[in-house]
């Protein structure tokens, strides 16, 4: 029976254009959505942009652009980027949408029993949009390791959200896998963090933060950006106006490892306070590094994803980021590695194989069985591949599918249908038919990863007569 599933991605800050690191959330969610749709399931797939906060406001001010124009311009860059990646979400939400803002205010009202005013004396990192504990401050010697900027001292009246009301329930939910966190190693880190996590500040005085959603019934306070941003996963479904039980709890929430703590502490506490179930799974992926270093505008090593796509094409981009960037651990992007994967694997293993089979198929007038589509639909998928996909081990599942492509390359070399054709044409046709059917079965496994290529391969071999195509991955 067809299931209704909900997958979400982190909504990026609009303080600049997308970089290659941003691609990962979208690509992983897209693979999941395509795989599930292939199985006949209905997938709701949220994306969007996180537009409030001082970091963004200051950028607009420095650029001398009205804030509304600035956030719109950058939000559009993310919207276009998603399209360029071949990613097809069902939703794109902006936190500056008036419907989102109104709904977040309603959410605040519902959280009220767990919110209290207090004075905040402590540290803040505007890069992370995060309040910093004394412990973190000391551990990092007062400098944010991610942004390399000194923490800012704050002394202000804030509203606090009582995490302590839910801490034990969250720990319990994670331990009994009501909420699963992947990978397991990070689940342990989260449990440690939770054990001594204090109540969190959820607002800031308007004089210190003007660009954000107003706290209801308090003209002097603006909501903390994370409360606003996390709510997007619900407001996009119409909460609290609509019944969201069709899609909530989310089946999969994808976030980078740097923001797992917000999703594993504040977020579940908010959901408990709203009396909503927790998401089933939060997958935290690693970082994409550039030449072994974190990408940063200051270092000047930021890679523009559009440059990669324009130079090589979409599926080569997807190939590298889904196979050579590990789903969970940090991975390195270099132009050398990318070029080697392109020519050594995509062009060699797949491009050449398709070319060879199409040329031989055409020469030997191979006619594939008329019930090919049914045959392919009825062939059970490889069990190892299915297990990996079901366990969200996407890069490993792609490896497994690629192994099938490599096996067909080996088979064609061993069976030498071109030599057989000289003495026994009927046998050559039978060999080629089997090889092409194997290719089409493997092609189905790679479809969630390389949708364009996979569609091309299917159309080449399901045509009435096989016509050798232009090379799929030409030499650059
Ligand atoms: N606005 C918050 C998310 C709010 S979600 C309710 C935010 N934005 S971000 O722009 O900093 O990051 C957006 C996503 O991109 C996050 O999942 C983050 O981990 C990911 N990445 C940003 N740089 C990255 C790499 N270099 N590599 C991989 N992913 C990284 O956090």
């Amino acid at each position: 029976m067809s299931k209704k599933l909900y997958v979400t991605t982190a909504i990026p800050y609009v303080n600049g254009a997308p970089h290659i690191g941003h691609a990962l959330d979208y690509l992983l969610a897209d693979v999941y959505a395509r795989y599930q749709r292939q199985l006949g399931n209905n997938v709701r797939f949220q994306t969007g942009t996180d537009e409030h906060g001082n970091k963004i406001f200051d950028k607009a001010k420095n650029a001398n652009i009205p804030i509304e124009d600035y956030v719109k311009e950058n939000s559009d860059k993310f919207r276009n980027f998603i399209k360029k990646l071949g990613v097809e979400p069902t939703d794109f939400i902006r936190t500056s949408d008036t419907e989102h803002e109104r709904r977040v205010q309603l959410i605040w009202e519902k959280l009220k029993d767990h919110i209290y005013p207090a004075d905040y004396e402590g540290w803040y990192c505007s890069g992370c949009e995060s309040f910093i504990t004394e412990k973190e401050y000391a551990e990092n010697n007062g400098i944010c390791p991610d942004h390399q900027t000194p923490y800012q001292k704050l002394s202000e009246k804030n509203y606090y959200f009582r995490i302590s009301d839910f801490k034990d329930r969250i720990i319990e939910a994670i331990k009994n896998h009501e909420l699963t966190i992947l990978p397991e190693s990070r689940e342990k880190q989260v449990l440690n963090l939770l054990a001594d996590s204090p109540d969190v500040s959820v607002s800031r005085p308007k004089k210190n933060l003007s660009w954000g959603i107003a706290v209801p019934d308090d003209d002097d306070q603006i909501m903390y950006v994370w409360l606003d941003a996390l709510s997007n996963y619900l407001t996009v479904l119409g909460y609290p106006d609509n019944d969201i039980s069709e899609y909530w709890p989310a089946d999969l929430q994808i976030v980078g490892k740097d923001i797992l703590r917000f999703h594993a502490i504040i977020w579940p506490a908010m959901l408990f306070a709203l009396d909503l179930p927790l998401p089933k799974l939060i997958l935290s992926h690693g970082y994409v590094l550039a030449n072994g270093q974190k990408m940063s505008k200051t270092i000047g090593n930021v890679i523009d994803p559009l440059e990669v796509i324009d130079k090589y094409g979409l599926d080569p981009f997807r190939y590298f980021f889904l196979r050579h960037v590990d789903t969970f651990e940090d991975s390195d992007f270099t132009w050398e590695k990318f070029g080697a994967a392109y020519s050594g694997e995509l062009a060699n293993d797949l491009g050449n194989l398709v070319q060879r089979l199409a040329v031989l198929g055409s020469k030997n007038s191979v006619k594939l069985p008329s019930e090919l589509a049914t045959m392919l639909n009825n062939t059970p998928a490889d069990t190892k591949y299915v297990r990996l996909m079901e366990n969200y081990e996407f890069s490993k599942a792609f490896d497994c599918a690629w192994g099938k492509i490599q096996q067909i390359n080996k088979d064609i070399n061993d069976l030498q249908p071109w030599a057989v054709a000289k003495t026994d044409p009927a046998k050559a046709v039978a060999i080629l038919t089997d090889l092409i059917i194997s290719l089409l079965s493997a092609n189905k496994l790679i479809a969630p990863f390389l949708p364009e290529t996979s569609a091309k391969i299917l159309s080449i071999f399901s045509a009435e007569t096989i016509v050798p195509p232009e090379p799929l991955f030409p030499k650059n």
Side-chain angles (χ1 to χ4, degrees):
M1 214 187 65
S2 160
K3 287 187 273 190
K4 288 205 155 127
L5 303 170
Y6 183 33
V7 59
T8 73
T9 55
I11 50 172
Y13 296 120
V14 287
N15 59 334
H19 60 64
I20 52 170
H22 289 122
L24 217 45
D25 276 39
Y26 301 134
L27 291 181
L28 294 174
D30 191 56
V31 166
Y32 171 82
R34 285 177 188 276
Y35 175 71
Q36 292 296 343
R37 286 177 186 146
Q38 225 180 33
L39 295 177
N41 294 322
N42 166 315
V43 184
R44 183 96 184 232
F45 177 175
Q46 159 281 9
T47 56
T49 40
D50 188 356
E51 306 191 0
H52 292 130
N54 281 341
K55 178 166 60 173
I56 294 164
F57 188 77
D58 292 346
K59 274 278 188 121
K61 207 161 132 195
N62 291 340
N64 219 352
I65 302 174
I67 183 71
E68 288 81 4
D69 296 349
Y70 181 81
V71 294
K72 165 93 173 59
E73 197 180 298
N74 280 328
S75 176
D76 284 346
K77 286 186 190 156
F78 278 94
R79 209 191 280 265
N80 291 335
F81 179 49
I82 291 172
K83 219 182 254 166
K84 268 267 189 180
L85 289 174
V87 168
E88 291 170 5
T90 52
D91 299 88
F92 184 94
I93 185 170
R94 300 178 55 197
T95 56
S96 65
D97 287 344
T98 46
E99 272 306 84
H100 170 79
E101 295 185 347
R102 185 182 63 78
R103 286 177 174 149
V104 174
Q105 288 182 320
L106 296 174
I107 288 176
W108 177 281
E109 300 283 356
K110 285 173 174 276
L111 297 176
K112 242 178 169 172
D113 285 352
H114 306 278
I115 287 178
Y116 61 96
D119 290 324
Y120 180 76
E121 270 282 340
W123 306 98
Y124 194 78
C125 170
S126 66
C128 301
E129 295 288 11
S130 179
F131 295 89
I132 305 298
T133 59
E134 284 299 337
K135 192 171 160 220
E136 277 174 283
Y137 181 87
E139 274 168 10
N140 298 325
N141 294 321
I143 294 176
C144 171
D146 282 344
H147 298 93
Q148 293 302 317
T149 46
Y151 294 129
Q152 194 189 340
K153 178 95 185 168
L154 299 186
S155 172
E156 55 189 38
K157 182 202 146 188
N158 292 355
Y159 283 106
Y160 275 78
F161 179 42
R162 221 179 281 113
I163 297 285
S164 45
D165 286 352
F166 307 103
K167 209 190 300 199
D168 294 343
R169 279 176 74 188
I170 303 172
I171 293 174
E172 184 66 22
I174 296 176
K175 282 191 174 158
N176 69 22
H177 283 242
E178 184 188 330
L179 162 61
T180 301
I181 291 173
L182 286 180
E184 234 172 62
S185 56
R186 286 191 203 122
E187 178 178 293
K188 292 202 184 85
Q189 289 168 11
V190 164
L191 287 171
N192 288 340
L193 273 178
L194 261 166
D196 51 24
S197 132
D199 289 350
V200 292
S201 179
V202 285
S203 77
R204 299 202 54 202
K206 203 181 248 174
K207 62 178 180 353
N208 296 339
L209 168 68
S210 59
W211 176 237
I213 304 179
V215 167
D217 305 324
D218 188 336
D219 286 345
D220 293 332
Q221 293 276 318
I222 297 289
M223 279 183 221
Y224 174 44
V225 282
W226 273 98
L227 193 94
D228 161 3
L230 288 163
S231 301
N232 96 85
Y233 302 128
L234 301 175
T235 60
V236 75
L237 298 177
Y239 184 86
D241 305 316
N242 304 345
D243 172 8
I244 57 167
S245 56
E246 228 184 356
Y247 290 105
W248 192 264
D251 297 274
L252 173 62
Q253 298 210 262
I254 296 182
V255 299
K257 64 175 186 179
D258 53 330
I259 57 168
L260 175 60
R261 62 201 173 111
F262 298 97
H263 286 81
I265 301 174
I266 308 183
W267 181 223
M270 284 171 68
L271 291 166
F272 275 136
L274 296 170
D275 229 349
L276 288 171
L278 302 188
K280 293 180 194 156
L281 197 136
I282 300 178
L283 184 161
S284 69
H285 59 76
Y287 280 141
V288 181
L289 306 173
N291 286 311
Q293 274 182 309
K294 187 156 194 270
M295 269 176 293
S296 124
K297 290 202 183 107
T298 332
I299 306 174
N301 62 349
V302 175
I303 310 248
D304 176 4
L306 301 182
E307 187 190 338
V308 186
I309 296 176
D310 288 343
K311 188 159 175 221
Y312 283 92
L314 171 58
D315 272 358
F317 185 92
R318 291 180 61 110
Y319 175 80
F320 188 85
F321 280 86
L322 290 165
R323 182 149 184 249
H324 290 288
V325 170
D326 187 90
T327 305
F328 299 109
E329 301 308 325
D330 291 357
S331 307
D332 204 22
F333 175 95
T334 66
W335 282 101
E336 292 73 29
K337 281 189 190 172
F338 189 92
Y342 180 85
S343 32
E345 297 165 17
L346 259 183
N348 247 356
D349 293 349
L350 186 59
N352 282 353
L353 176 66
V354 169
Q355 203 65 29
R356 283 170 95 186
L357 283 175
V359 168
L360 287 165
S362 154
K363 242 191 203 160
N364 294 281
S365 311
V366 170
K367 290 264 171 288
L368 292 175
S370 55
E371 66 283 8
L372 178 70
T374 333
M375 264 171 70
L376 289 172
N377 276 341
N378 293 342
T379 317
D382 180 82
T383 47
K384 183 175 171 202
Y385 171 88
V386 172
R387 183 173 49 77
L388 291 167
M389 286 301 264
E390 302 286 328
N391 288 335
Y392 310 91
E393 297 265 12
F394 299 122
S395 53
K396 291 205 173 79
F398 198 5
D399 273 346
C400 171
W402 208 258
K404 308 268 168 219
I405 304 283
Q406 288 164 329
Q407 182 61 47
I408 304 167
N409 274 298
K410 194 171 169 297
D411 292 345
I412 192 171
N413 289 341
D414 290 348
L415 298 167
Q416 306 203 348
W418 55 90
V420 177
K422 290 183 191 141
T423 53
D424 189 346
K427 190 170 170 202
V429 167
I431 293 173
L432 285 167
T433 306
D434 282 352
L435 288 168
I436 293 171
I437 291 175
S438 301
L439 171 65
L440 292 180
S441 304
N443 191 45
K444 208 171 141 188
L445 308 187
I446 63 171
F449 301 91
L450 309 178
E452 266 184 3
T453 305
S454 168
K456 250 188 233 165
I457 295 176
L458 187 62
S459 78
I460 295 167
F461 294 102
S462 31
E464 187 74 13
T465 43
I466 299 172
V467 179
E470 293 292 309
L472 293 188
F473 304 105
K475 292 222 175 331
N476 275 56

